[in-house]
Amino acid sequence: MSKAALGVLISGSGTNLQAIIDAIEAGKLAAEIKIVVSNKPGVMGLERAEKHGIPTAVIPHRGKSREEFDAELVEILKAAGVELAVMAGFMRVVTAVFLRAFSHRVMNIHPAILPSFPGVDAQGQAFAAGVKLAGCSVMFIDEGVDTGPVIIQAAVPVLPDDTADTLRARIIQQEHRIFPEAIRLYAEGKLEWRGDKLVVHGAEADAQAALVNPPIPE
Ligand code: GRF
């Protein structure tokens, strides 16, 4: 089976990038990271890439229009032979310049069960709202903010003693599981576009399964 050629976009610590690298190295994901691109220099995610021999690029965003930035990004990704762009903590809103060049081929991870809590600090929004279940989503992106079709989601409980930070830590553990899985579904041809609708093929969830919080006593 041929490997999916990935370009991973980051802005920071890159723990999701690490989860993808680990899944590839463990033989669980038939993919190759052609390049890691950051809009910020000196971030930990770049170090992680270098440690694993993955080429990196930094595109500073200051003094550029969003379209100019995206045009540079497209050029770098295309030159590296990238087929699927993966936004792993990439803190930028992208434009049609990027989305047109990688139509239906840009994935993003968001730390909430979309369409709840789009935008910044999703975990803090969920915590403040007092919901009992929180979680994360991987989706393909479109021109809205966190509005594209969802590929996979994970739910976690919000516990009585939680702070926004403990909740954040519980959510990111699940991010590290579902992001490589979403890419695997792509690499194995399980994500099918029918017009603008996405059909996800693959194992079906147990229809009786439910995460209830607070739990109902047996
Ligand atoms: C993650 O919580 C992701 O969902 C959000 O930014 C964070 C990035 O973390 N978009 P990392 O850089 O992968 O550690």
Side-chain angles (χ1 to χ4, degrees):
M1 190 171 48
S2 68
K3 291 181 180 174
L6 312 180
V8 183
L9 316 184
I10 60 164
S11 300
S13 73
T15 64
N16 278 291
L17 164 66
Q18 188 69 53
I20 297 165
I21 294 172
D22 292 347
I24 293 171
E25 291 189 351
K28 293 179 184 159
L29 177 57
E32 183 185 354
I33 304 177
K34 296 285 190 183
I35 192 161
V36 169
V37 183
S38 174
N39 63 319
K40 292 196 183 143
V43 295
M44 179 74 183
L46 289 168
E47 276 178 43
R48 293 178 193 272
E50 280 153 19
K51 206 169 146 203
H52 291 266
I54 300 166
T56 61
V58 176
I59 312 177
H61 55 258
R62 277 181 212 285
K64 279 173 207 160
S65 70
R66 286 193 187 282
E67 286 76 13
E68 283 166 340
F69 177 93
D70 283 0
E72 262 186 69
L73 180 59
V74 168
E75 207 179 303
I76 287 175
L77 294 175
K78 296 248 162 173
V82 168
E83 161 202 340
L84 178 71
V86 168
M87 300 184 17
F90 185 59
M91 303 312 239
R92 283 189 66 84
V93 174
V94 296
T95 69
V97 171
F98 180 50
L99 293 178
R100 252 184 254 128
F102 282 88
S103 177
H104 290 179
R105 288 182 295 125
V106 188
M107 275 187 196
N108 189 20
I109 186 143
H110 184 72
I113 304 211
L114 290 169
S116 293
F117 312 123
V120 294
D121 191 20
Q123 307 95 325
Q125 291 183 54
F127 183 73
V131 292
K132 300 293 175 254
L133 296 174
C136 47
S137 311
V138 179
M139 72 283 196
F140 280 115
I141 68 164
D142 61 15
E143 289 183 34
V145 175
D146 301 324
T147 52
V150 169
I151 300 162
I152 184 170
Q153 296 181 307
V156 298
V158 182
L159 303 183
D161 292 343
D162 266 338
T163 62
D165 282 341
T166 57
L167 179 59
R168 202 180 305 281
R170 191 170 309 119
I171 291 171
I172 206 161
Q173 282 186 355
Q174 299 307 315
E175 293 185 38
H176 297 161
R177 298 177 65 214
I178 66 170
F179 215 172
E181 178 61 12
I183 299 167
R184 188 185 70 81
L185 289 167
Y186 172 89
E188 295 185 0
K190 304 273 172 60
L191 305 180
E192 183 199 344
W193 286 94
R194 292 187 191 154
D196 278 338
K197 293 265 176 286
L198 179 71
V199 180
V200 180
H201 301 279
E204 267 183 30
D206 174 357
Q208 304 303 317
L211 175 57
V212 180
N213 181 43
I216 301 167
E218 289 300 318

